Amino acid sequence: MQNFTYYTPTEIIFGRGAEKEAGRLAAKWNAKKVLIVYGGGSAVRSGLLAVIEAELDAEGIAWETLSGVQPNPRLALAREGVKKAVAFGADLILTVGGGSVIDTAKAVAIGAANPDTDLWDFWTGKVKKPEQVLPVGVVLTIAAAGSETSDSAVLTNEETGTKKGYGGDFVRPKFAMMNPELAVTLSRYQVACGVVDILMHTLERYFTPVEGNHLTDEIAEGLMRTIICEGKKVYDNPADYDAMSEVMWCGSLSHNGLTGLGRGKDFSCHKLGHEIGGMFDEPHGATLSAVWGSWARYVYRQDIARFARYGRKVWGIASDAAGDEEVALAAIRRTEEFFRSLDMPVCLGELGMGVQPEGVLQKMADSATNGGTVKLGSFCPMDAADMVAIYQCANHV
Ligand code: NZQ
Ligand code: ZN
């Protein structure tokens, strides 16, 4: 087991009516002026935004809003948010939404506390760490990205078509209200994207070269069995409160670090997916299901026994007659079948972007590897040529 630090400071209020704690929690953090960040309107239509505003009013806390966050959240809106937060004198950023909204709020929290530094300089690594960060609170409306407890924020620079993650423990939200009922208005497509993302956050930590983490393995396998079973239930019926509760809780635990303790993470599929999201504005979960099978077939020989364990422990593939390689390949097939059962794409041709010319695949690989200067992932470190090869495997209808 590798050394690790486990730091999950987010106070979680889970269950029906959780959003009604917004005022109390903001007051607990001594907030006097809150910038509420939300997306394209689902929180307005459901009446949730009005509830949050009323809760802040009841505590005598002033608020303003930043609206219009889009999926694959844009740098320009985050910059606008920084200006708004500074002008208002915000001392807490409260998000009402999912990963895109939370990540924009995290960016605003960094930018508003460091207004002399251009926001993107943090994301490119030009500036390593912010001096300070405003506190962020969350009202979660979709089980997916896990940003409500995670240490990262993913932004898209729309001028360059580059999508990048950045972070550290300093961006972990201070509190998160998680009411599974709020997710009932999600489209089935968004539910499916979320389920894929949650499974992927654990898979990206399950396949690493570090062995001998029995407890972490068991936690990860239990989480994956749960998201596969409950994720399908909630896709079939988004109003299934109990199933949505399981899925929402899986979402947080899948990406707060727990499922990778003692062995780090890989995250090369996320890199492959972020290039697609940045260039073609495809939904995050769909970019992951579209490339995972191609990644897995490209790398499984690196550790066939690990893939076989995944097949046996997560998919319950009977092992008596089958050898490890057979089980490993069956596990990859079963994962893709699961994605298909959620009507998620398993190749580039099933995404809106469609099949792409070779030059585009190369461009995405170059961008992800900083012009071929870095390798991605830890399970089977990949250079730009490996990435192109994986994109090629996925580049069909
Ligand atoms: O904008 P509105 O109108 O609210 O609609 C949103 C949006 O269109 C809708 N939605 C959310 N809750 C809803 C709802 N519609 C109806 N009812 C509700 N209750 O869902 C759509 C997608 O929202 P988004 O926030 O984009 O979803 P998600 O949570 O999947 O976030 C995806 C983003 O998070 C990033 C992804 O790359 C992507 O940009 N990620 C962030 C991570 C992190 N910070 O730790 C880790 C992840 O790996 C991921 O990269
Ligand atoms: Zn993800």
Side-chain angles (χ1 to χ4, degrees):
M1 190 184 288
Q2 288 178 338
N3 294 2
F4 63 81
T5 300
Y6 186 45
Y7 178 70
T8 51
T10 309
E11 178 177 356
I12 292 180
I13 314 292
F14 194 99
R16 290 188 167 98
E19 67 280 11
K20 300 241 167 71
E21 301 286 324
R24 182 184 70 78
L25 288 164
K28 183 174 166 181
W29 282 89
N30 295 319
K32 303 278 182 282
K33 292 183 169 190
V34 169
L35 183 69
I36 305 172
V37 183
Y38 64 96
S42 71
V44 178
R45 289 190 295 278
S46 66
L48 174 61
L49 191 68
V51 170
I52 303 303
E53 291 167 355
E55 292 297 330
L56 294 177
D57 286 342
E59 291 288 337
I61 297 171
W63 50 266
E64 278 199 7
T65 58
L66 175 74
S67 64
V69 176
Q70 295 166 256
N72 293 320
R74 311 299 200 266
L75 174 63
L77 188 78
R79 283 185 174 137
E80 191 186 318
V82 169
K83 282 193 199 137
K84 203 163 192 177
V86 170
F88 179 48
D91 49 19
L92 187 139
I93 314 296
L94 183 61
T95 78
V96 183
S100 299
V101 176
I102 302 169
D103 289 358
T104 300
K106 287 175 174 178
V108 172
I110 292 171
N114 305 274
D116 296 333
T117 307
D118 180 59
L119 209 44
W120 196 240
D121 285 349
F122 291 108
W123 267 253
T124 57
K126 198 166 160 194
V127 179
K128 284 281 172 261
K129 201 177 163 205
E131 299 273 313
Q132 51 216 330
V133 180
L134 293 184
V136 172
V138 174
V139 180
L140 190 66
T141 63
I142 171 173
S147 186
E148 65 277 6
T149 55
S150 84
D151 64 353
S152 73
V154 185
L155 282 186
T156 296
N157 182 334
E158 59 275 44
E159 282 168 20
T160 58
T162 317
K163 185 174 176 184
K164 267 184 184 297
Y166 167 69
D169 283 335
F170 50 86
V171 296
R172 290 191 197 267
K174 303 296 183 206
F175 55 87
M177 290 154 270
M178 298 168 56
N179 175 359
E181 283 177 331
L182 300 179
V184 78
T185 48
L186 281 169
S187 68
R188 292 179 77 221
Y189 181 69
Q190 283 301 337
V191 169
C193 284
V195 169
V196 170
D197 197 18
I198 294 167
L199 177 62
M200 285 298 306
H201 290 159
T202 297
L203 284 171
E204 296 264 38
R205 292 175 166 91
Y206 191 75
F207 292 105
T208 80
V210 183
E211 294 183 349
N213 280 275
H214 300 303
L215 177 58
T216 299
D217 278 345
E218 294 285 345
I219 291 171
E221 287 154 359
L223 195 151
M224 289 193 279
R225 286 193 299 271
T226 305
I227 189 65
I228 288 163
C229 171
E230 305 298 320
K232 183 68 173 77
K233 277 190 208 164
V234 93
Y235 180 66
D236 292 338
N237 177 16
D240 183 337
Y241 178 84
D242 288 330
M244 186 60 92
S245 302
E246 300 286 348
V247 168
M248 199 171 252
W249 189 222
C250 280
S252 296
L253 295 189
S254 196
H255 202 40
N256 73 358
L258 178 69
T259 58
L261 291 182
R263 65 160 171 257
K265 54 190 178 182
D266 180 273
F267 270 71
S268 45
C269 281
H270 268 69
K271 290 278 199 294
L272 289 158
H274 283 342
E275 292 307 320
I276 297 170
M279 199 175 282
F280 297 100
D281 201 15
E282 298 282 359
H284 176 59
T287 67
L288 300 174
S289 63
V291 298
W292 187 82
S294 297
W295 171 84
R297 286 190 186 86
Y298 192 75
V299 303
Y300 81 95
R301 286 190 190 83
Q302 188 79 16
D303 191 346
I304 290 174
R306 185 73 178 160
F307 270 89
R309 176 178 169 136
Y310 167 61
R312 292 183 178 115
K313 301 272 287 191
V314 175
W315 292 104
I317 297 169
S319 53
D320 294 352
D324 273 5
E325 183 152 15
E326 206 178 317
V327 177
L329 288 168
I332 296 169
R333 271 198 309 279
R334 291 284 293 274
T335 309
E336 287 190 320
E337 281 162 21
F338 175 64
F339 293 153
R340 284 191 189 283
S341 78
L342 304 175
D343 299 313
M344 282 284 102
V346 295
C347 57
L348 302 189
E350 291 175 6
L351 283 166
M353 66 193 275
V355 170
Q356 290 299 313
E358 197 67 19
V360 171
L361 308 183
Q362 185 68 54
K363 197 171 165 200
M364 292 195 292
D366 286 345
S367 163
T369 56
N370 285 347
T373 58
V374 292
K375 286 195 167 191
L376 304 177
S378 60
F379 182 72
C380 181
M382 296 191 309
D383 59 19
D386 295 316
M387 284 191 74
V388 170
I390 292 169
Y391 281 136
Q392 281 170 337
C393 292
N395 199 26
H396 59 86
V397 284

